[in-house]
């Protein structure tokens, strides 16, 4: 049985890996020069250091991804800087430590080892949140803000802790984000075993975590080609199986479409019956993520791999999270880098890039406790359609489509997670499992 995978992001490559392991004939089509999709390596002319298109963080709860790495012989603990979940602002006004107690007692760690939680009301609220981590009990239309306020969240905690955490997890403002899915992420990380809440920050390029190995296995079966057309042959085959598929004219038994939702819409639109099916898809809205990268003359050694920044766009302070690569990167030039991540980056769409960088650098200098070394180069990279906006009740498409032999994968399918790497991997593996289960 031959299978085409369209798209070599994490979803498509996870699908390809599962199919290769099962000994299937698989071809992967990728439109871009580099595989990896929204988690791809880039070269920036001013920085001169290999980079990703944006800083990514994985969680210990990303079981599908971490297991995939292990299957390929990569130890996540070596490939990533791993640390217990510690959320601290760069100015140290807020500190949340999750003490390494065995579950479920480790939930108490947040109450024991924390500072800046708005007194007992804040601690009581966090205790309530920990007890309320049951997505099934949250109304489908509820936003994260509504859900937290119903749990008596002090206003300062809403703005200083939950708003940046929600933006980081969902890339959607707290007043708009789906409470069910946010609660699921919290449940699977903070609410599960202590290691599930650990942060995994890649030491080098995301591509080296596992995609590079799958690309090497694929060899020439990974083609650079932007697929223009997917068609199904009209007649069922003589054995009763549905008609074969053609991808830009090439024949396959099955196709896994692992492209972004807007591209899947384009490719599906010409199939018979597509209108009725696509009309049931959500009206996707997208949110941008920006990353300001600084190449420093010396490694920063701030002591914190990741710290929270207080943003204030009205004052040109855009950053929400800062990553000091001298703490998390493998030895080499990357240790001279610092990244500032800006979720909801569409807010600076009308600003000059240089002004955004300067505002962000000033913000970092004002909030970081350890002075920033001299900056040799700086750059802003913005991914305009970084993720879909995770509003409540989105009817995200399933892996199966109305057309036999045509499956969907991608972080935007119904993964139960926000648009994240783990959702992409799970969706790719789920599509591969369905493809493998189809009669040969
Ligand atoms: C800046 C940034 C920061 C992020 N931070 C995090 C984070 O910290 N943690 C986290 O878990 N997630 C994070 N994410 C989200 C994560 O990157 C995505 O969820 C994930 O990469 C999506 O993978 P995918 O395979 O579903 O889609 P994509 O990566 O979009 O892959 C789709 C692929 O299909 C290709 N394609 C499109 N059209 C065609 C065509 N016609 N023919 C052939 N190929 C085609 C594209 O070129 C692309 O390679 C971040 C995303 C961004 C942009």
């Amino acid at each position: 049985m031959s299978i085409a995978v369209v798209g070599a992001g994490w979803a498509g490559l996870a699908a390809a890996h599962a199919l290769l392991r099962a000994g299937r004939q698989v071809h992967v089509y990728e439109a871009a020069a580099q595989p990896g999709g929204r988690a791809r390596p880039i070269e920036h002319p001013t920085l001169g250091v290999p980079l990703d298109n944006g800083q990514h963080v994985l969680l210990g709860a990303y079981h599908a991804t971490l297991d995939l790495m292990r299957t390929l012989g990569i130890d996540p603990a070596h490939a990533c800087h791993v640390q217990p979940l510690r959320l601290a602002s760069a100015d140290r006004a807020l500190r949340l430590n999750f003490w390494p107690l065995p579950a479920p007692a480790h939930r108490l760690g947040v109450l024991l080892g924390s500072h800046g939680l708005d007194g007992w009301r804040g601690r009581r609220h966090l205790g309530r949140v920990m007890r309320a981590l049951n997505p099934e009990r949250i109304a489908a239309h509820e936003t994260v803000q509504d859900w937290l306020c119903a749990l008596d969240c002090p206003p300062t905690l809403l703005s200083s802790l939950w708003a940046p955490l929600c933006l980081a997890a969902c890339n959607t403002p707290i007043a708009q984000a789906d409470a069910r899915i946010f609660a699921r992420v919290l449940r699977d990380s903070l609410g599960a075993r202590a290691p599930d809440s650990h942060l995994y920050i890649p030491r080098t390029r995301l591509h080296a975590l596992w995609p590079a190995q799958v690309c090497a296995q694929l060899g020439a079966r990974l083609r650079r080609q932007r697929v223009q057309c997917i068609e199904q042959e009209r007649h069922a085959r003589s054995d009763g199986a549905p008609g074969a598929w053609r991808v830009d004219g090439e024949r396959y038994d099955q196709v896994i479409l692992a492209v972004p939702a807007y591209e899947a819409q384009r490719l599906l639109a010409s199939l018979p019956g597509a209108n009725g099916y696509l009309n049931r898809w959500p009206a996707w809205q997208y949110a941008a993520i920006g990353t300001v990268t600084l190449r420093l003359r010396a490694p920063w050694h701030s002591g914190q791999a990741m710290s929270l920044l207080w943003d204030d766009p009205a004052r040109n302070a855009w950053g929400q999270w800062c990553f000091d690569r001298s703490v998390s990167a493998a030895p080499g030039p990357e240790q001279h880098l610092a990244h500032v991540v800006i979720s909801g980056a569409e807010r600076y769409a009308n600003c000059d890039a240089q002004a955004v960088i300067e505002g962000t650098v000033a913000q970092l200098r004002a909030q970081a406790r350890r002075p920033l070394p001299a900056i040799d180069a700086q750059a802003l990279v913005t991914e305009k359609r970084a993720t879909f906006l995770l509003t409540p009740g989105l009817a995200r498409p399933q892996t199966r489509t109305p057309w036999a032999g045509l499956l969907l994968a991608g972080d935007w399918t119904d993964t139960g997670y926000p648009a994240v790497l783990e959702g992409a991997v799970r969706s790719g593996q789920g599509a591969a499992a369905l493809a493998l289960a189809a009669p040969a």
Side-chain angles (χ1 to χ4, degrees), residues 7 9-11 30-31 37-38 56-57 62 225 227 258 263 410-411 420-421:
W10 280 41
E30 170 53 49
R38 279 168 282 151
H56 283 62
V57 177
Y62 283 14
Q225 182 173 330
V227 170
E263 187 68 359
D411 62 357
V420 288
L421 298 167

Side-chain angles (χ1 to χ4, degrees), residues 289-302:
I289 299 180
T291 310
V292 173
T293 296
L294 309 175
R295 182 163 50 95
L296 306 170
R297 192 153 308 158
W300 187 8
H301 296 308
S302 70

Side-chain angles (χ1 to χ4, degrees), residues 282-319:
W284 304 101
Q285 295 170 270
Y286 294 93
I289 299 180
T291 310
V292 173
T293 296
L294 309 175
R295 182 163 50 95
L296 306 170
R297 192 153 308 158
W300 187 8
H301 296 308
S302 70
Q304 292 205 76
M306 173 180 166
S307 49
L308 179 61
L309 296 171
W310 309 117
D311 65 348
D312 187 356
R315 294 175 180 219
N316 205 21
W318 297 96

Side-chain angles (χ1 to χ4, degrees), residues 34 77 85 100 123 133 144 158 163 179 181 246 255 259 265 280-281 309 314 324 330 365 395:
Q34 282 283 354
L85 183 55
R123 282 162 200 267
L133 295 180
V144 174
L158 197 66
I181 293 189
R246 290 198 180 266
V255 177
V259 297
Q265 255 160 331
R280 293 195 295 278
W281 281 22
L309 296 171
D324 174 3
R365 287 197 199 286

